[in-house]
Amino acid sequence: MILDMNGIYKDYLLGKEPVPVLKDVNLQVDEGDYIAIMGPSGSGKSTLMNIIGCLDKQTAGSFIFDGMDISQCSDKELSDIRNRKIGFVFQNFNLLPRQSVLENVELPLLYAGVGKRERREMAKQALIKVGLEERINFKPTQLSGGQKQRVAIARAMINNPKMLLADEPTGALDTKSGEQIMKLFYELNSEGVTIVMITHEREIAEYARKIMLIRDGEISDCGGGAEQ
Amino acid sequence: MIENISLSFKGMLSHKIRSLLTMLGIIIGIASIIAIVSTIKGTNEQIKNNLIGSGNNTVNIQLFQGDWAMDFQYESAPSGVPAISRETKEKIENIDEVERVSLYRQRQYLDSIYYLNKQLAGGNVTGIDENYFDVMNYRIKLGKGFSENDFKNNQKTAVIDSIVAKNLFEGEEPIGKVIDICGEPFKVIGVAVKSNTFEPVIETVEDYHTYKSDASGKIFIPERSWPIAFKFDEPQNCIVKAVDTDAMTQAGKKAADILNNTLSVSEDINVKYKGESLLEQAKSMQDLSNSTNKMLVWIASISLLVGGIGVMNIMLVSVTERTREIGLKKALGARKKRILVQFLTEASVLTSIGGIIGVISGIILAQVISKFADVPVSISGVSIVISVVFSMAVGIIFGLIPSVKAANLNPIDALRYE
Ligand SMILES: Nc1ncnc2c1ncn2[C@@H]1O[C@H](COP(=O)(O)OP(=O)(O)O)[C@@H](O)[C@H]1O
Ligand SMILES: [Mg+2]
């Protein structure tokens, strides 16, 4: 089991009032799983995703990731987990606009301390894999939405992380681009990468092996997905 | 690091006007400091050169009555002041700080010097010993200097300087000609010139007279021939050449002590030899100019402080603007330290470039000041290096708060930031 969440609570402070967003979330993910999490807007999907991605901390509950108790980890350890074990894909791509496609993909390698020449080479390979070898010297603004998201996936996967986290990866894309992204996810998953994806589109969720539903801060298995 | 620096450059270039305005405070601060420091250094060197004479290191030891130097041209020596003997001179020569001693007598603005019927306007006659030319840095340009015979046997020979040669002989060959000094004939055997001349600075009436008597030319005769021309054997002036500039004060003091021991005057007439320490005068003048200029440096530093605050302000804006970028970098695994270093580099690249531009403008400013205010400037490499290092430090110091703020951003808050 790569991810084991038990009794996770998350409150946000609105002024001094704590507003509960996650209430007793239990989630287990095995290595190689492909999970889609659905739910209405404001139900706490992103909140859960941020905790899984070690970007935010739960208010209460235990969270074991790849054998490590995340609540005990130092700032430095969390940085390294985010760098090496997790890849992020965001709805709005989050590419650095002033840097080239290649430089964007190189970033996680830079933080991992990989030398310049090796970085170049690895980033190039990753871009070839997502079909963007022609665009390596472009600026992100010169790309279409689907291309931007593929750059983001190349960047997320550059350090060979165990898990790919995607928060509405197709939310800003047209159907065709969305399908391409899902094809990429499928390939990655068949290579053994664990994927947790948030979406509110049923068709997109159907690509996953398992679909979960969040409603009012509680998570439930709702059936569906490729495994059923 | 190199990556960070090149990123900082990219960032700067993408906000050209903003970066330039931010640097302005640093540029102005550094430029004024460089200009002021160069002016201080130039002035100090000028004071030292002019007062001491570049490398001459001579100290005049004069007889003082109270606070006034006695001048035997106009008054006679009080009884009990003997002429300086050969033994006394040797004693002075043996002082560690003294390299050479010369004794001489001088009459200024004489109107009793003739070549045939031509009168020299305001000449200046010096009776010298064998060390004088060496101590005062003269060299023979034409003819020859005094021989041992000239010094020992009261020869009526003379060496003139090039000004006298020009004024009295007007292009005629002076060597071998006979001139008339106070009615006595002296044969010109050589022309002497100063080995190193410097432009005198005329600030007082005394300076003016010294300069004027220099300008009207000098005639040298051997010490022993002095009484022939002037019918009078007054005590000599004593000038010592110190081993180096720093030894001047000591050389002057010790020589004056030895000379004072030869005096047998009563206390109440208050006559005493004193070394006229030009070094000390130079130092006190330098101190004066230093202390006024130090204040200017402080004022310029305030401009640097204001510049630093400007940098801090713009860095805070930049951190806020780039909150999402910081959040993303953290999500991708950038550690706190990396973010910190990135922003510190940015701030110090900004201020270092400001510093370099400041140094360049400071040098230009210094040249302009020296042109228009007629102040000498001397630009020191050390002050340039210090300025650039200092402006880099300003960047690091004032960039620290914004950089720490950036490094401590919570990744999720940063990513959510709109
Ligand atoms: N930083 C925050 N401060 C306060 N409330 C927040 C914060 N982040 C999210 N929330 C609230 O938590 C709830 C869940 O948000 P989110 O997890 O983004 O929902 P989803 O991604 O499912 O649309 C929303 O009501 C939102 O307003
Ligand atoms: Mg969301």
Side-chain angles (χ1 to χ4, degrees):
Chain A
M1 202 179 300
I2 187 167
L3 192 149
D4 188 6
M5 286 182 138
N6 281 299
I8 294 290
Y9 286 80
K10 177 71 185 177
D11 300 342
Y12 285 114
L13 286 178
L14 210 70
K16 279 186 180 158
E17 282 296 299
V19 180
V21 175
L22 298 180
K23 302 161 200 161
D24 192 21
V25 170
N26 298 297
L27 179 65
Q28 280 73 36
V29 179
D30 288 320
E31 247 169 273
D33 263 356
Y34 185 175
I35 292 176
I37 298 174
M38 294 190 68
S41 181
S43 57
K45 304 184 297 291
S46 294
T47 302
L48 176 63
M49 190 62 118
N50 292 332
I51 294 173
I52 297 174
C54 304
L55 290 168
D56 205 355
K57 283 191 172 168
Q58 69 272 27
T59 312
S62 94
F63 171 29
I64 310 290
F65 179 83
D66 199 26
M68 287 165 88
D69 184 349
I70 295 305
S71 58
Q72 302 298 316
C73 284
S74 70
D75 201 70
K76 230 185 232 176
E77 286 170 319
L78 290 178
S79 295
D80 289 350
I81 291 172
R82 290 196 292 262
N83 186 233
R84 286 157 213 260
K85 297 194 174 173
I86 298 171
F88 286 99
V89 175
F90 305 93
Q91 178 175 1
N92 52 8
F93 325 120
N94 272 330
L95 300 175
L96 297 181
R98 276 204 291 275
Q99 279 166 288
S100 72
V101 164
L102 192 70
E103 285 167 331
N104 267 285
V105 176
E106 275 181 32
L107 272 183
L109 291 171
L110 176 70
Y111 302 145
V114 177
K116 182 158 187 146
R117 193 171 298 163
E118 210 178 331
R119 247 165 33 217
R120 283 275 119 107
E121 199 40 50
M122 287 171 76
K124 225 178 260 175
Q125 293 304 323
L127 282 164
I128 290 172
K129 202 171 165 196
V130 297
L132 285 175
E133 63 267 41
E134 318 264 274
R135 301 281 188 276
I136 54 176
N137 290 319
F138 281 45
K139 290 280 155 69
T141 44
Q142 297 166 311
L143 301 180
S144 72
Q147 287 171 327
K148 283 185 200 171
Q149 198 59 299
R150 280 187 277 155
V151 173
I153 292 167
R155 181 179 66 188
M157 297 312 297
I158 193 83
N159 265 338
N160 290 317
K162 293 198 164 169
M163 189 157 78
L164 181 65
L165 296 181
D167 191 346
E168 310 248 17
T170 59
L173 303 180
D174 57 275
T175 322
K176 193 157 164 287
S177 307
E179 276 168 12
Q180 276 180 347
I181 299 298
M182 285 306 106
K183 234 179 98 206
L184 262 173
F185 275 26
Y186 177 79
E187 278 168 30
L188 289 170
N189 180 244
S190 47
E191 285 164 21
V193 179
T194 313
I195 299 177
V196 178
M197 169 176 76
I198 284 175
T199 182
H200 58 259
E201 294 171 74
R202 188 79 206 182
E203 307 87 83
I204 294 297
E206 291 295 347
Y207 284 92
R209 291 182 204 234
K210 201 155 69 178
I211 302 175
M212 315 278 282
L213 190 68
I214 290 193
R215 181 160 280 143
D216 296 328
E218 284 170 75
I219 196 162
S220 57
D221 204 328
C222 77
E227 278 189 343
Q228 264 79 35
Chain B
M1 202 64 217
I2 296 163
E3 223 116 340
N4 268 331
I5 292 173
S6 77
L7 267 181
S8 306
F9 272 104
K10 269 191 198 169
M12 260 181 59
L13 289 178
S14 66
H15 292 110
K16 285 190 198 76
I17 293 182
R18 181 203 278 194
S19 308
L20 194 69
L21 288 176
T22 311
M23 285 189 287
L24 209 55
I26 307 285
I27 294 175
I28 292 172
I30 293 288
S32 23
I33 286 178
I34 288 280
I36 294 165
V37 168
S38 307
T39 314
I40 294 175
K41 201 166 166 253
T43 311
N44 281 350
E45 277 168 16
Q46 191 194 40
I47 290 171
K48 205 166 171 179
N49 282 346
N50 284 348
L51 274 181
I52 300 172
S54 33
N56 229 8
N57 299 336
T58 54
V59 186
N60 247 314
I61 292 117
Q62 280 178 290
L63 200 60
F64 279 76
Q65 182 157 37
D67 287 334
W68 300 96
M70 301 192 77
D71 189 342
F72 302 127
Q73 182 168 353
Y74 306 109
E75 54 193 329
S76 52
S79 61
V81 179
I84 300 166
S85 68
R86 194 145 281 278
E87 295 79 64
T88 311
K89 185 180 171 186
E90 267 165 26
K91 269 193 210 158
I92 296 172
E93 221 142 41
N94 287 333
I95 298 170
D96 285 344
E97 287 86 355
V98 172
E99 188 179 304
R100 196 142 297 168
V101 182
S102 171
L103 304 176
Y104 66 97
R105 298 182 180 91
Q106 200 164 52
R107 284 282 193 282
Q108 294 182 341
Y109 333 118
L110 290 174
D111 41 14
S112 52
I113 297 166
Y114 292 90
Y115 169 60
L116 303 177
N117 283 327
K118 185 168 169 52
Q119 187 186 21
L120 181 66
N124 173 333
V125 178
T126 313
I128 64 169
D129 63 5
E130 64 280 7
N131 286 342
Y132 187 84
F133 281 160
D134 182 30
V135 170
M136 299 302 281
N137 256 330
Y138 278 99
R139 65 182 170 81
I140 301 297
K141 198 178 90 177
L142 213 66
K144 54 191 173 60
F146 296 119
S147 64
E148 214 167 302
N149 180 45
D150 288 318
F151 282 119
K152 282 218 172 103
N153 300 322
N154 312 4
Q155 293 297 307
K156 294 205 272 183
T157 47
V159 170
I160 59 176
D161 71 359
S162 47
I163 301 167
V164 173
K166 192 173 138 248
N167 292 347
L168 207 52
F169 293 97
E170 293 171 325
E172 245 185 90
E173 166 71 43
I175 309 295
K177 301 283 156 53
V178 173
I179 55 173
D180 190 307
I181 303 173
C182 300
E184 294 290 330
F186 281 77
K187 190 173 140 202
V188 177
I189 59 166
V191 176
V193 289
K194 273 245 182 202
S195 307
N196 57 338
T197 49
F198 58 91
E199 273 299 305
V201 185
I202 300 174
E203 281 173 343
T204 64
V205 179
E206 268 171 58
D207 287 346
Y208 174 71
H209 286 313
T210 316
Y211 177 64
K212 200 183 146 215
S213 68
D214 272 5
S216 55
K218 284 183 163 169
I219 296 169
F220 306 100
I221 60 175
E223 183 182 29
R224 293 207 183 179
S225 311
W226 183 265
I228 299 173
F230 295 100
K231 320 282 188 267
F232 179 62
D233 201 4
E234 78 255 21
Q236 309 94 315
N237 296 303
C238 174
I239 187 156
V240 302
K241 182 181 175 125
V243 289
D244 56 45
T245 309
D246 294 326
M248 288 171 68
T249 309
Q250 276 304 310
K253 271 199 186 113
K254 290 185 180 174
D257 285 347
I258 291 171
L259 288 170
N260 282 328
N261 282 335
T262 67
L263 297 179
S264 51
V265 291
S266 60
E267 285 286 322
D268 48 302
I269 68 163
N270 196 18
V271 168
K272 226 182 193 167
Y273 279 103
K274 278 185 198 163
E276 164 202 15
S277 177
L278 290 174
L279 182 64
E280 287 193 342
Q281 286 180 30
K283 277 198 175 136
S284 64
M285 278 175 76
Q286 286 176 353
D287 284 349
L288 192 71
S289 83
N290 280 357
S291 61
T292 49
N293 284 319
K294 258 182 202 139
M295 236 149 68
L296 290 177
V297 171
W298 277 113
I299 293 168
S301 306
I302 291 174
S303 153
L304 264 188
L305 180 74
V306 174
I309 293 169
V311 170
M312 178 150 76
N313 186 37
I314 220 67
M315 289 304 293
L316 283 171
V317 171
S318 168
V319 169
T320 309
E321 274 181 358
R322 286 153 65 188
T323 301
R324 277 189 76 88
E325 175 192 323
I326 297 163
L328 171 74
K329 287 184 169 175
K330 288 197 153 190
L332 296 180
R335 290 185 185 173
K336 260 187 187 181
K337 196 176 140 199
R338 181 177 290 274
I339 307 284
L340 185 80
V341 169
Q342 182 201 333
F343 278 89
L344 280 182
T345 311
E346 237 162 78
S348 52
V349 162
L350 196 68
T351 56
S352 303
I353 291 174
I356 291 167
I357 299 176
V359 165
I360 295 167
S361 350
I363 292 171
I364 295 169
L365 191 64
Q367 305 295 351
V368 171
I369 290 175
S370 94
K371 268 253 167 61
F372 287 96
D374 201 25
V375 181
V377 293
S378 160
I379 289 139
S380 81
V382 180
S383 67
I384 289 173
V385 173
I386 291 178
S387 297
V388 175
V389 171
F390 191 72
S391 41
M392 194 186 280
V394 166
I396 292 175
I397 292 165
F398 288 94
L400 202 59
I401 292 176
S403 305
V404 168
K405 190 184 161 198
N408 282 336
L409 278 178
N410 192 351
I412 192 59
D413 293 340
L415 267 178
R416 275 181 172 274
Y417 185 83
E418 298 294 331

